[in-house]
C-alpha cells in the first residue's frame, strides 16, 4: 500500500516478539525448576521467538523513531501484534505433544492472550507445570494489553504512543492522557502489578501452594480464568479462596483509571462514577435473582445459594470464567438466560474484562429513554448525559454502531457455528463467550468441560472472534474494509 509505513509495523512487531520471548524464558526457568529438563519446549520456543523478533526489528530499524504515524499503521500494528503473540505463544503448546494439533495449540494460546479462558484440554492436572505457568502468564500479559505493556517498558516507538494506545484500549470513556501516554501506561501497569502481588500473597495464605497461587493470581486479576485444575476453583472447596478471587475479579473488571484515582486518594471521583454504580447494581440484582432461583428451584441452603450465585455471577460478569459448580446442568433455564445476559454486558471500560461493557449498556438505555422525550418535544435539544456531562453526538453514534456490530457478529456467528455442527445452545453461548472473552459456554462446552470436541474450523473461527472481541471490534474489522487499503 503506497504511503504505508511498513518499517513502523515491523518495529512494533519485532519489539512485541522479543518481549514475548523474555517471558517464555521465564516460563522455561519454571519448567526447569519443576521438571529438571535443561532443554525444554518453552526454552526452544523462547529462542526461536527471540531470533525472529530480532530479525524483524532489524528490518524495522532498532533506533529509528517515527513521528508521523497515521491510524492505518496503528490499527494494523496492534492487530498484527496480537496475532503474532498468539501464534508464537502456541509454539510450546504444540511442541509439548499435549495438544492434538496445531489448531488446538493456537486456540489455547489465543484464548490465553485474549483472557478468554476457553480451553481444549481435558487433562489439565497432568500437564507439566511450566506449560501451565505459561498459560496463566499469557493471560496476565493480555489482561492490561501487550501494547500498553510495551509503552510502559520501552520508549522506542517515538511519538506514536497515543495512536497505539487508542487502537488497543478503545473503551468509550477512558480518559486521555496525551502527551503523557507512556507515563500513564507505567502507572496503570504499576497498579496492575500491585494487585497481582496482593492476590498472589492472599491466595498463598490459604490452602493454595505458591505455584497455584501465582498461576491463579495471574489469571484472576487479568479476568482470564485459566486454572491449574480441570474442575477449576471447585478443586479447593474453600470459602476463603472463593472470597479472595471474587474480590480481585471485581477489581480487575473496574476501570483502572478509577483505581488510579482511588490509589491517589481521589475517592469522590471513584465513588461518583456512574458506570461503576451500574456495574455493582447489576451484580447485586443478579445475585439476588439467582439466589432466589437456587433456593426455591434447587432447594439449596440459603448460605450455599448466595455463595454459588455470587461467585458465578461475578465470574461471568467480569468475563473471568472460573467455576465452582456446573451451572449448565444443575441450574434452571431462566437463570442460564440471565447468565447469558451477564456474558454480553460484562465489566467496565478501561478494565481487563471483555464484553460490551457496562458503560455502553448504560448509554444505550439512556439514549432510548431520551428518544421518548425527543418524540414528545421534537424541538428540544436533549443530550445523553454520563457522569453529569453531555455526550457528543458522535460518541453516541459510534456507540450505537458498536452495539449493532456486536449483536450482529453474535447472531452471524451463531448461524455459522450451527452450520459447523454445534447445537443451538452451544453455538449461541460459544459466540457470546468468544466475542466477550468469557470462556465457558453451555452444553458440552460448559464450565466443567472443554472445547476439545468441536470441529477444527470452529476453533479457528472462535480464535478469530476472541481477537476481534479483545480489540473491541473496530480495530480488527477495519482491516477488512476496502477503504482502509486505499491511499
Amino acid at each position: 500500500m503506497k504511503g504505508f509505513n511498513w518499517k513502523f509495523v515491523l518495529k512494533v512487531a519485532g519489539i512485541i516478539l522479543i518481549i514475548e520471548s523474555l517471558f517464555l524464558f521465564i516460563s522455561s526457568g519454571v519448567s526447569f525448576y519443576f521438571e529438571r529438563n535443561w532443554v525444554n519446549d518453552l526454552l526452544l520456543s523462547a529462542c526461536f521467538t527471540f531470533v525472529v523478533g530480532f530479525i524483524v526489528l532489524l528490518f524495522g530499524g532498532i533506533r529509528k523513531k517515527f513521528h508521523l504515524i497515521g491510524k492505518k499503521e496503528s490499527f494494523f500494528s496492534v492487530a498484527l501484534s496480537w496475532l503474532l503473540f498468539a501464534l508464537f505463544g502456541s509454539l510450546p503448546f504444540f511442541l509439548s505433544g499435549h495438544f492434538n494439533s496445531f489448531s488446538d495449540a493456537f486456540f489455547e494460546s489465543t484464548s490465553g492472550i485474549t483472557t478468554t479462558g476457553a480451553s481444549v484440554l481435558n487433562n489439565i492436572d497432568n500437564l507439566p507445570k511450566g506449560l501451565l505457568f505459561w498459560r496463566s502468564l499469557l493471560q496476565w500479559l493480555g489482561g492490561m494489553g501487550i501494547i500498553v505493556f510495551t509503552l510502559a517498558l520501552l520508549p522506542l516507538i517515538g511519538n506514536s504512543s497515543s495512536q497505539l494506545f487508542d487502537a488497543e484500549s478503545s473503551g468509550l470513556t477512558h480518559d486521555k492522557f496525551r502527551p503523557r501516554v507512556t507515563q500513564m501506561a507505567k502507572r496503570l501497569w504499576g497498579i496492575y502489578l500491585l494487585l497481582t502481588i496482593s492476590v498472589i500473597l492472599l491466595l498463598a495464605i490459604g490452602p493454595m501452594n505458591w505455584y497455584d497461587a501465582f498461576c491463579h493470581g495471574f489469571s484472576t486479576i487479568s479476568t482470564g480464568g485459566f486454572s491449574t485444575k480441570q474442575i477449576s476453583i471447585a478443586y479447593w472447596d474453600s470459602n476463603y479462596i472463593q472470597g479472595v478471587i471474587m474480590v480481585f475479579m471485581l477489581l480487575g473488571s473496574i476501570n483502572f483509571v478509577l483505581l488510579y484515582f482511588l490509589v491517589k486518594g481521589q475517592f469522590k471521583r471513584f465513588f461518583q462514577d456512574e458506570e461503576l454504580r451500574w456495574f455493582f447494581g447489576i451484580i447485586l440484582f443478579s445475585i439476588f435473582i439467582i439466589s432466589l432461583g437456587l433456593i426455591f428451584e434447587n432447594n439449596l441452603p440459603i448460605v450455599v445459594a448466595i455463595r454459588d450465585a455470587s461467585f458465578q455471577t461475578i465470574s461471568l460478569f467480569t468475563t473471568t470464567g472460573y467455576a465452582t459448580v456446573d451451572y449448565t446442568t444443575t441450574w434452571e433455564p431462566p437463570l442460564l438466560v440471565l447468565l447469558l445476559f451477564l456474558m454480553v454486558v460484562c465489566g467496565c471500560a478501561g478494565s481487563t474484562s471483555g464484553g460490551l461493557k457496562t458503560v455502553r449498556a448504560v448509554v444505550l438505555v439512556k439514549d432510548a429513554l431520551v428518544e421518548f422525550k425527543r418524540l414528545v418535544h421534537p424541538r428540544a435539544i436533549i443530550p445523553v448525559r454520563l457522569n453529569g456531562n453531555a455526550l457528543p453526538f458522535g460518541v453516541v453514534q459510534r456507540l450505537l454502531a458498536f452495539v449493532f456490530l456486536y449483536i450482529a457478529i453474535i447472531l452471524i456467528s451463531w448461524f455459522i457455528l450451527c452450520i459447523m455442527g454445534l447445537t443451538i445452545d452451544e453455538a449461541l453461548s460459544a459466540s457470546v463467550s468468544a466475542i466477550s472473552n468469557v470462556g465457558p459456554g453451555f452444553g458440552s462446552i460448559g464450565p466443567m468441560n472443554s472445547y476439545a470436541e468441536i470441529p477444527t474450523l470452529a476453533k479457528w473461527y472462535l480464535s478469530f472472534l476472541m481477537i476481534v472481541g479483545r480489540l473491541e471490534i473496530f480495530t480488527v474489522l477495519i482491516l477488512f474494509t476496502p477503504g482502509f487499503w486505499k491511499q
Side-chain angles (χ1 to χ4, degrees):
M1 182 170 57
K2 187 177 180 181
F4 192 84
N5 196 329
W6 289 102
K7 283 188 173 295
F8 173 79
V9 174
L10 291 175
K11 181 171 184 177
V12 173
I15 293 174
I16 292 297
L17 289 178
I18 290 175
I19 289 176
E20 182 173 20
S21 72
L22 298 180
F23 285 98
L24 279 166
F25 279 119
I26 293 173
S27 299
S28 69
V30 174
S31 180
F32 171 73
Y33 178 80
F34 285 104
E35 276 83 43
R36 298 299 176 182
N37 293 324
W38 280 103
V39 179
N40 53 59
D41 304 319
L42 286 158
L43 181 61
L44 293 174
S45 301
C47 294
F48 180 73
T49 302
F50 180 84
V51 171
V52 174
F54 185 75
I55 293 173
V56 172
L57 183 59
L58 284 178
F59 281 102
I62 295 179
R63 296 186 178 182
K64 186 175 181 179
K65 290 193 174 183
F66 302 92
H67 303 285
L68 298 174
I69 299 301
K71 287 187 176 295
K72 291 183 179 181
E73 288 87 349
S74 299
F75 283 128
F76 190 81
S77 297
V78 169
L80 180 63
S81 296
W82 281 79
L83 179 62
L84 289 176
F85 213 99
L87 182 64
F88 282 81
S90 66
L91 291 179
F93 296 144
F94 180 63
L95 294 176
S96 69
H98 289 279
F99 292 79
N100 295 327
S101 64
F102 180 75
S103 299
D104 284 359
F106 182 77
F107 180 93
E108 196 81 11
S109 179
T110 305
S111 179
I113 193 62
T114 59
T115 71
T116 303
S119 179
V120 295
L121 294 171
N122 290 316
N123 59 339
I124 293 176
D125 304 71
N126 298 324
L127 258 66
K129 291 186 180 296
L131 208 61
L132 290 177
F133 184 85
W134 173 240
R135 282 173 87 236
S136 298
L137 191 57
L138 267 176
Q139 295 203 317
W140 186 74
L141 291 170
M144 183 60 68
I146 53 178
I147 294 294
V148 175
F149 177 79
T150 303
L151 296 179
L153 190 67
L154 299 170
L156 298 178
I157 302 178
N159 295 335
S160 306
S161 301
S162 61
Q163 296 273 26
L164 291 174
F165 187 92
D166 284 344
E168 182 179 70
S169 309
S170 54
L172 176 68
T173 60
H174 76 271
D175 293 5
K176 307 297 181 181
F177 300 96
R178 288 177 292 272
R180 297 181 291 113
V181 170
T182 302
Q183 289 89 333
M184 196 59 212
K186 291 179 181 178
R187 292 168 187 170
L188 294 179
W189 262 93
I191 295 172
Y192 191 55
L193 186 60
L194 177 63
L195 292 174
T196 303
I197 294 173
S198 300
V199 67
I200 290 173
L201 290 175
L202 289 172
L203 290 174
I205 292 173
M208 278 191 185
N209 58 43
W210 279 101
Y211 171 78
D212 287 327
F214 266 93
C215 290
H216 287 86
F218 290 154
S219 54
T220 296
I221 199 60
S222 64
T223 62
F226 273 158
S227 176
T228 56
K229 307 299 179 183
Q230 190 68 45
I231 59 173
S232 190
I233 305 302
Y235 174 87
W236 284 273
D237 192 23
S238 166
N239 291 331
Y240 172 79
I241 292 294
Q242 291 184 34
V244 170
I245 286 178
M246 279 192 284
V247 169
F248 282 90
M249 286 192 295
L250 287 172
L251 289 173
S253 58
I254 294 174
N255 192 323
F256 270 69
V257 174
L258 290 180
L259 294 179
Y260 174 73
F261 292 148
L262 187 64
V263 171
K264 295 289 289 184
Q266 300 179 28
F267 303 111
K268 186 176 180 180
R269 297 187 69 174
F270 179 84
F271 290 106
Q272 289 187 348
D273 184 76
E274 196 168 355
E275 180 190 24
L276 189 64
R277 295 200 301 269
W278 276 84
F279 172 73
F280 281 110
I282 294 172
I283 288 176
L284 292 175
F285 175 78
S286 301
I287 290 174
F288 175 73
I289 296 297
I290 294 175
S291 296
L292 289 179
L294 295 179
I295 292 170
F296 292 106
E297 295 294 334
N298 293 53
N299 299 315
L300 291 181
I302 295 177
V303 174
V304 175
I306 294 175
R307 182 196 64 187
D308 291 349
S310 299
F311 190 89
Q312 295 309 149
T313 294
I314 294 173
S315 178
L316 293 182
F317 194 52
T318 61
T319 73
T320 309
Y322 282 141
T324 54
V325 294
D326 190 359
Y327 46 83
T328 61
T329 59
T330 58
W331 291 13
E332 295 299 316
L335 300 184
L336 298 182
V337 173
L338 179 55
L339 292 181
L340 193 66
F341 166 78
L342 295 175
M343 290 165 64
V344 171
V345 178
C346 305
C348 301
S351 69
T352 63
S353 65
L356 188 65
K357 301 294 194 300
T358 302
V359 67
R360 290 193 178 98
V362 171
V363 174
L364 194 65
V365 171
K366 287 192 169 192
D367 185 56
L369 296 176
V370 165
E371 194 60 34
F372 286 113
K373 296 181 180 179
R374 291 170 181 156
L375 290 173
V376 178
H377 306 284
R379 295 189 179 184
I381 299 176
I382 309 174
V384 177
R385 294 185 178 275
L386 188 69
N387 291 323
N389 301 316
L391 293 177
F393 175 75
V395 172
V396 178
Q397 190 178 40
R398 183 179 179 185
L399 178 142
L400 293 174
F402 181 93
V403 173
F404 170 76
L405 283 174
Y406 191 86
I407 301 301
I409 290 173
I410 289 175
L411 295 177
I412 293 171
S413 300
W414 185 11
F415 177 73
I416 291 174
L417 291 173
C418 282
I419 293 177
M420 292 181 179
L422 276 69
T423 64
I424 291 177
D425 59 332
E426 291 171 349
L428 176 59
S429 62
S431 301
V432 173
S433 183
I435 197 71
S436 296
N437 304 133
V438 176
F442 297 160
S444 67
I445 54 174
M448 300 303 176
N449 300 309
S450 74
Y451 286 72
E453 300 303 321
I454 69 172
T456 299
L457 190 58
K459 292 172 184 174
W460 283 99
Y461 182 75
L462 289 174
S463 298
F464 171 73
L465 279 188
M466 292 177 203
I467 296 177
V468 170
R470 179 58 182 83
L471 296 181
E472 305 250 305
I473 296 179
F474 288 117
T475 301
V476 176
L477 294 191
I478 196 174
L479 303 180
F480 296 91
T481 60
F484 180 85
W485 300 102
K486 292 181 180 179
Q487 178 64 28

